Structures are given as structure tokens and as C-alpha cells.
Amino acid sequence: MMKRGLKIALVQLSVGLDKSKNVATAISEIHKAKEKGAELVALPECFNSPYGTKYFDEYAEEVPSGETCRALSKAAAEAGVCVVGGTVPERCGSQLYNTCTVWDASGKLLASYRKIHLFDIDIPGKITFKESDVLSPGNQLTTFDYHGIKIGLGICYDLRFNEMAHLLAKEGCSLLIYPGAFNMTTGPRHWELLGRARALDQQLWVALASPARDAHAQYVAWGHSLLVGPWGAVVAGLDEKPGTLIAQIDLKDVEEVRSQIPVGKQRRTDLYDTVTKSKHK
Ligand SMILES: O=C(O)CCC(=O)C(=O)O
């Protein structure tokens, strides 16, 4: 019988300048999460490198041949767990991307997703960030299947784009996973609100995995990794410190809300539509 749920772990890692140490911490937390019963372990955005445009080139690796990918594949196989490998700065020829890789429980690459919406914002006196100074955007929406559940991927700033979440839901996703690293300005204002909004609009589970907060870092992450259910309520969440959230995802909740409040079937697509384009660019 097809499995109806999944126990997932969101690992809120503390990330520093030492790349090998960052990767080693991630691997050790993957094993600990497995021991606590997790079937899928998700890591945060930019978990092998500090987050910042000045770091991406130095920390970048090829996907999937780089050392971080090899370590994730090995950990997934040894622990026997699916790993959503947060993100790493990816080098491909002369381009850099912000990329999430997914590994199945035998260590095989299941999916690879390059952030499609780059984080370019300017809030004077608070935060100015321009990923597009050094990164290129991906051009493809990405889903994968695990234990009979279709899972969609987004990365951080992608969370702000409801059309993307809508298209992933239309592809059949019941869970969207966003490795992310909001900051001390937009984190308290928007992180949870956006996670809940995407879950409520699309009537699916939403998991947000952040690095832990380091008050001395150049970019201070908000933390607060969380899991939102398809009714739009936060089911579990962390504070700003390193930690791991483990929670059960049940497909029954998705089916329940979608049948009881059937907005998915009530859309007036005769008047409007959202269509996937440039899928294979
Ligand atoms: O949207 C935000 O406020 C933060 C986004 C971000 O930090 C990112 O995309 O890496």
C-alpha cells in the first residue's frame, strides 16, 4: 500500500567560515535525525558556506561531483534516509548558482534545483542584498517523489512567489520544502507569514529550513525553521538556536482541506490562469 505520510527533520545548522566543519556538522546531524526516526532530512540554505555574495565563488563546487555533494550522498546511503541538501553555491563553467540537491536513501541523486528568483532587495538603512551580482538564476521548476509523496523545491526568496508554489501544487505536490535564510529585517516580518500563506493558498505542507542565528556573521540569519500544515497553522517550529525539528507529515490533512474547502477546483481559469513556461530552457 502507498505510504500516507513521512517523518521529516529540519536541521537548523550553525554555519561558519570553515567549510569542512560545516559539512561535518551537517553529516552528523543527518545521522542523529535518522536515529530519531526521520525518513527525510532537510538542511538550510547555504549550509557549507557563510551566506554572502563575497563567499559564493570561494566556496562553490560542481554539482554533483563536488566534495559537499559526495559527502551528502554518502551520508544519505549510510544513514538510509532521504537528504534534501539545503543549498550550496554551485559552479558550472563560468556561472554560479544557488543549488539544492536531493539524495535518496541509497545515496542516488534524485533532484537538483537552482534558485529561480534571485534575492535582490534594497531596504535603505536595513538590508541591501544583490545575489544577481554573482549568481545566475535557474530556469526550471523541480519536484521529486519520495515514499509516494510529490515534493516541490524552492529556495528562500522563491517563497515570496505564489505563482511558483501554485505551479508546484498543480504538478501534484503535497509538500514544498524551502531551504532559506531570512534576515533580522525580513525574518520577523515575513518568514512565518509567507510559509503560512503558501501552505494556506496551495493547501499543502510547507517546510522552511534556516541556518541558526550567528549574531557576529556578516549576514545574520533569522532562524526559526518551521513546518506549516495544509490548514495554514504552524505545526512545529524552532527558535534562533541550532536544533532539529522532527515532525510527522500526513497526506490525510492535505486531502481533507482540499475536499472540504475545494478552492483548487473552484478557480475561474476561464478568466485567468498560471501556466508553466520555459521548463526545458
Ligand atoms: O526574502 C527575503 O526577505 C530573504 C531572502 C533571502 O535571504 C534569500 O533569498 O536568500
Side-chain angles (χ1 to χ4, degrees):
M1 204 178 100
M2 211 207 267
K3 212 170 147 140
R4 308 287 303 142
L6 197 60
K7 197 164 188 181
I8 73 164
L10 308 180
V11 184
Q12 188 160 291
L13 291 169
S14 107
V15 177
L17 291 168
D18 184 337
K19 184 177 180 182
S20 312
K21 193 168 160 208
N22 293 335
V23 174
T25 311
I27 301 311
S28 134
E29 294 302 325
I30 289 169
H31 285 283
K32 283 192 212 156
K34 168 68 185 190
E35 278 159 29
K36 292 184 190 138
E39 296 164 293
L40 180 150
V41 182
L43 306 177
E45 182 181 31
C46 222
F47 76 92
N48 68 349
S49 145
Y51 184 69
T53 48
K54 73 169 184 188
Y55 299 112
F56 294 149
D57 184 55
E58 182 190 338
Y59 287 74
E61 297 176 15
E62 288 185 356
V63 170
S65 58
E67 57 177 304
T68 306
C69 282
R70 282 187 277 119
L72 290 179
S73 166
K74 186 161 174 275
E78 283 178 1
V81 74
C82 176
V83 173
V84 175
T87 78
V88 297
E90 176 193 355
R91 185 185 312 287
C92 181
S94 60
Q95 314 278 85
L96 296 176
Y97 298 92
N98 190 344
T99 301
C100 175
T101 56
V102 181
W103 307 88
D104 76 7
S106 67
K108 185 166 107 346
L109 184 66
L110 267 186
S112 175
Y113 166 70
R114 292 170 171 163
K115 186 178 193 175
I116 64 173
H117 301 100
L118 294 182
F119 177 42
D120 288 0
I121 68 166
D122 183 18
I123 308 177
K126 301 256 193 241
I127 178 161
T128 300
F129 205 96
K130 202 152 182 248
E131 273 192 327
S132 65
D133 276 345
V134 293
L135 297 185
S136 301
N139 286 311
Q140 205 162 323
L141 300 181
T142 304
T143 67
F144 65 98
D145 290 287
Y146 197 67
H147 283 200
I149 301 179
K150 193 173 278 292
I151 300 171
L153 295 171
I155 299 172
C156 206
Y157 198 57
D158 285 333
L159 179 61
R160 293 185 178 275
F161 298 87
N162 183 44
E163 295 90 339
M164 175 182 177
H166 178 58
L167 291 168
L168 293 170
K170 269 203 337 188
E171 298 257 316
C173 292
S174 303
L175 165 65
L176 303 183
I177 300 178
Y178 293 90
F182 272 38
N183 52 74
M184 300 302 287
T185 299
T186 61
R189 289 165 178 81
H190 298 156
W191 171 254
E192 179 184 322
L193 181 60
L194 284 165
R196 295 184 65 191
R198 297 295 78 90
L200 181 64
D201 281 344
Q202 306 309 329
Q203 302 180 305
L204 39 61
W205 290 88
V206 169
L208 309 183
S210 169
R213 188 176 309 162
D214 171 1
H216 304 293
Q218 193 206 17
Y219 181 94
V220 181
W222 171 238
H224 291 270
S225 298
L226 57 88
L227 177 68
V228 188
W231 286 90
V234 175
V235 169
L238 298 177
D239 56 17
E240 76 287 358
K241 296 187 283 299
T244 295
L245 174 167
I246 299 194
Q248 181 72 30
I249 279 176
D250 199 333
L251 284 191
K252 178 170 62 52
D253 298 327
V254 175
E255 285 152 17
E256 186 182 78
V257 66
R258 287 183 179 173
S259 76
Q260 294 178 5
I261 308 178
V263 288
K265 294 192 197 119
Q266 294 165 333
R267 287 199 167 83
R268 290 293 308 275
T269 49
D270 55 324
L271 299 179
Y272 54 77
D273 206 358
T274 304
V275 292
T276 307
K277 293 181 181 157
S278 308
K279 256 191 118 169
H280 304 292
K281 205 163 152 187

